Amino acid sequence: MNKGMAKVSVLYPNGEGKHFDMDYYVDTHIPLVVQLLGDSLKGAAVEKGLGSAEPGSIAPYAAMGNMYFDSVDDFGKAFGPNAATIMGDLPNFTNIEPIVQISEVVI
Amino acid sequence: MNKGMAKVSVLYPNGEGKHFDMDYYVDTHIPLVVQLLGDSLKGAAVEKGLGSAEPGSIAPYAAMGNMYFDSVDDFGKAFGPNAATIMGDLPNFTNIEPIVQISEVVI
C-alpha cells in the first residue's frame, strides 16, 4: 500500500481458552467487511499466527486483519455506520477481544 | 504480498515513558535490515501508530515493522546470523521491547 494511507489493524491476541475460526473469518467475515465498506476500502490482508521469535513459541496473535483506506476520515465514514454489524459478527468466529490499531503507512 | 508467504511483524507497544524515533527507524534501521537480509527479504512495510478504535485514544503500538519472506525457513536463515546486529541497533531508536509475530499470509 502507499505512503500516507491509513491502515487499520485488528489483532487477535492468543491466550488460554481462546479460539479463532480462520475458515469462517476468511470465507464469511472478511467478505462481509469488504461488502459493507465498499469503495472506501482500498485493500485488505489477513495473516495467521505461526509463532514468535523463539522457535516453538506460541504466536502472540492468533490472527491479524488489516484494512487500508485513503485516510482515517474515510475509514471512520465507512466503518461507523457498519460498526455494529461487523463487530456483531465476531462471536461467530472467536471469543477473543481484538486490539484495534489505526496507523499511517510510512513505508 | 502473496498467499503462503511468511510475514514477520515487529510491534512496539506504546506505554508510559516509552519513546520511538521514527526518523532513525526509517532512515537508518530499516535500510540496515534490508541490507543485511539481502534477497531473502521480499518486501518491507512500516506503519506509525495514530490511534485506536475510540477517537482520541492512544495507539496500542507506537510503530509496526513488517517483513515478508518466501518461507519461515528463509527468514530464519537470513535473520539468524544478523540477529545480534539488528537487535543491537534497537537502543538507538527506542526503549520499547518489541513483540515479534511470525505469520502466514492468508489473504
Side-chain angles (χ1 to χ4, degrees):
Chain A
M1 289 294 136
N2 302 326
K3 183 172 160 66
M5 288 183 86
K7 178 184 180 184
V8 178
S9 305
V10 185
L11 300 95
Y12 296 86
N14 258 325
E16 203 176 319
K18 302 298 184 186
H19 66 80
F20 188 93
D21 182 343
M22 183 59 82
D23 288 339
Y24 184 96
Y25 187 66
V26 166
D27 296 338
T28 304
H29 184 70
I30 295 294
L32 173 73
V33 170
V34 168
Q35 181 201 333
L36 290 173
L37 299 188
D39 292 343
S40 296
L41 182 67
K42 301 305 181 190
V46 169
E47 293 107 33
K48 174 186 177 180
L50 296 179
S52 188
E54 297 297 318
S57 56
I58 292 172
Y61 309 96
M64 303 196 291
N66 309 284
M67 301 174 288
Y68 296 89
F69 302 86
D70 282 338
S71 67
V72 175
D73 196 46
D74 274 11
F75 161 66
K77 285 179 182 162
F79 188 77
N82 297 298
T85 305
I86 291 171
M87 300 309 284
D89 190 41
L90 263 64
N92 292 324
F93 60 90
T94 189
N95 63 348
I96 300 173
E97 186 175 346
I99 297 171
V100 176
Q101 164 93 356
I102 300 177
S103 302
E104 177 187 334
V105 174
V106 178
I107 292 180
Chain B
M1 289 295 133
N2 302 326
K3 183 173 160 67
M5 290 183 83
K7 178 183 179 184
V8 178
S9 305
V10 185
L11 300 94
Y12 296 86
N14 258 325
E16 203 176 318
K18 301 299 183 187
H19 65 80
F20 189 94
D21 182 343
M22 182 60 80
D23 288 339
Y24 184 96
Y25 187 67
V26 166
D27 296 337
T28 304
H29 184 70
I30 296 293
L32 173 74
V33 171
V34 167
Q35 181 201 333
L36 289 174
L37 298 188
D39 292 342
S40 296
L41 182 66
K42 301 305 182 188
V46 170
E47 292 109 32
K48 174 186 176 180
L50 297 178
S52 187
E54 298 296 318
S57 57
I58 292 172
Y61 309 96
M64 302 197 290
N66 309 285
M67 299 174 288
Y68 296 88
F69 302 85
D70 282 338
S71 68
V72 175
D73 196 46
D74 275 11
F75 161 66
K77 284 179 182 162
F79 188 78
N82 297 297
T85 306
I86 291 172
M87 300 309 284
D89 190 41
L90 263 65
N92 292 324
F93 61 90
T94 190
N95 63 348
I96 300 173
E97 187 175 345
I99 297 170
V100 176
Q101 164 93 356
I102 299 176
S103 302
E104 177 187 335
V105 174
V106 177
I107 292 180

